[in-house]
Amino acid sequence: MTLGAALAIVAAGPGEAKRAAAAAAAAPAPLILVSPAGASAYGGCGWFSALAALAAADLPACHPFTWVLDCGARAGDALEALGAGAPAVVFDGADGAAARLAAVAAARRAVLLRVRPSALTLRRGGDATAACREWLAMRRPSETGQSAHDGPVF
């Protein structure tokens, strides 16, 4: 799944994960659930994996879905997440550690991202489906001048 064709949504809790799944199914668009920045330090892989499972349970079985845990510069967290089966991690630490983590990721058929993907943050009480449709209709961040690290807040 490529980021350009998918709906990347930040989820920091069960409610956000479930809203993301409902919005992606209604859009319809493949869903990439993205953890908050540096979430491996305070939530860990197990916590975010559980949020991803909540979102997946609310999607039709054939709906494309994956998740990304942001590990910041914490190589140990990234290694632990890859070992636990995370499909993708963000690691923005040292290049040498990144090279070793990339080899581990490749061996596990996972993805190591060096830059956090641009992702939509849903506001509580807002129309998540409409926000997702707007997000999907937007041009790529590099074309709009928007930061590649932070998506819009709807």
Side-chain angles (χ1 to χ4, degrees):
M1 180 184 327
T2 64
L3 287 177
L7 182 58
I9 300 178
V10 176
E16 291 173 358
K18 293 174 90 44
R19 286 181 69 219
L31 174 60
I32 300 173
L33 203 65
V34 181
S35 77
S40 69
Y42 59 85
C45 183
W47 163 78
F48 200 68
S49 176
L51 287 185
L54 281 174
D58 284 355
L59 289 168
C62 62
H63 196 99
F65 171 72
T66 195
W67 53 276
V68 178
L69 177 64
D70 190 321
C71 298
R74 299 172 61 93
D77 288 359
L79 184 60
E80 179 183 359
L82 292 168
V89 297
V90 175
F91 176 72
D92 60 14
D95 291 340
R100 291 186 293 279
L101 288 169
V104 171
R108 296 188 176 276
R109 296 189 177 155
V111 176
L112 178 76
L113 300 171
R114 296 289 282 144
V115 176
R116 181 177 170 76
S118 182
L120 172 66
T121 300
L122 299 173
R123 287 190 180 158
R124 289 190 179 153
D127 183 341
T129 301
C132 290
R133 286 194 177 121
E134 275 187 55
W135 173 240
L136 288 169
M138 288 175 54
R139 292 179 303 160
R140 292 192 331 239
S142 61
E143 295 171 351
T144 63
Q146 179 182 354
S147 166
H149 301 286
D150 299 311
V153 176
F154 285 95

